[in-house]
Amino acid sequence: MKSADLLIGLPFNSAQYATLVHMIAQVTRLKPGIFTHVINNCHIYENQLEGAKEQLERYKKMELVSGKLSMIETLSQLKHAKPLIKELEKELEENLEYKEIVKLLKSKPYLKLNQEIKEFYDFTIDDIKLEDYKSLSPIKMPVAI
């Protein structure tokens, strides 16, 4: 890809291209491989900086919650760690924002295509579903023109 708007265009484009790979694989009776996306010029527009900052804060919180979940998993192997596990679980449950992030991290979204489609141009929007997708609240950002 020649260039990409990191916050608005890139997520949409990546989802489109990955879906396209699966659609082509289905009609050619091949197994989809790994989707690799190379970008020459990735950018953030000035009018999207506040949204970018909010997104970075979310990533930090997700890393924190992910680390706590990993600690719980590791500690569950130890006999005497139950009090610490309960403390970590309580912390994750009491913080509403953390609770939402836990749901997001535990979800396993997957692409579901209508398996009856054998010709590429027979696909319609109704033949493509994203199941079990969870997200946090939207971050409002203007489209740069």
Side-chain angles (χ1 to χ4, degrees):
M1 178 177 257
K2 182 181 160 225
S3 70
D5 172 355
L6 177 66
L7 299 170
I8 296 177
L10 183 61
F12 182 75
N13 293 145
S14 296
Q16 277 183 313
Y17 297 143
T19 302
L20 182 61
V21 166
H22 282 264
M23 293 166 69
I24 292 170
Q26 178 174 311
V27 299
T28 56
R29 294 171 199 70
L30 297 171
K31 186 176 176 183
I34 296 171
F35 171 67
T36 304
H37 194 157
V38 178
I39 304 161
N40 184 41
N41 175 3
C42 192
H43 48 269
I44 298 172
Y45 292 100
E46 283 184 38
N47 64 350
Q48 298 170 346
L49 287 176
E50 287 307 310
K53 288 176 187 173
E54 187 176 342
Q55 186 69 46
L56 288 172
E57 286 303 313
R58 285 187 180 183
Y59 283 138
K60 288 179 193 173
K61 289 174 186 168
M62 288 177 78
E63 284 293 318
L64 177 74
V65 171
S66 181
K68 288 179 188 285
L69 290 172
S70 293
M71 281 182 8
I72 290 169
E73 188 176 322
T74 302
L75 289 170
S76 68
Q77 308 298 316
L78 305 173
K79 282 184 188 178
H80 306 291
K82 283 188 180 175
L84 185 54
I85 291 171
K86 284 189 189 276
E87 186 180 320
L88 287 166
E89 288 175 335
K90 183 180 177 189
E91 188 180 330
L92 290 176
E93 284 184 22
E94 286 180 352
N95 184 316
L96 188 59
E97 192 173 20
Y98 287 177
K99 205 172 181 177
E100 288 300 309
I101 292 171
V102 168
K103 273 195 249 180
L104 181 84
L105 292 172
K106 288 187 173 184
S107 71
K108 304 244 186 279
Y110 60 95
L111 179 66
K112 186 175 179 182
L113 298 177
N114 178 348
Q115 295 300 303
E116 294 177 17
I117 304 297
K118 305 297 181 213
E119 297 293 328
F120 183 80
Y121 290 105
D122 290 343
F123 276 110
T124 68
I125 194 68
D126 295 326
D127 297 314
I128 305 163
K129 304 275 187 249
L130 184 58
E131 303 281 336
D132 197 28
Y133 176 76
K134 307 273 187 279
S135 67
L136 299 175
S137 61
I139 298 173
K140 303 264 185 206
M141 282 185 254
V143 174
I145 298 176

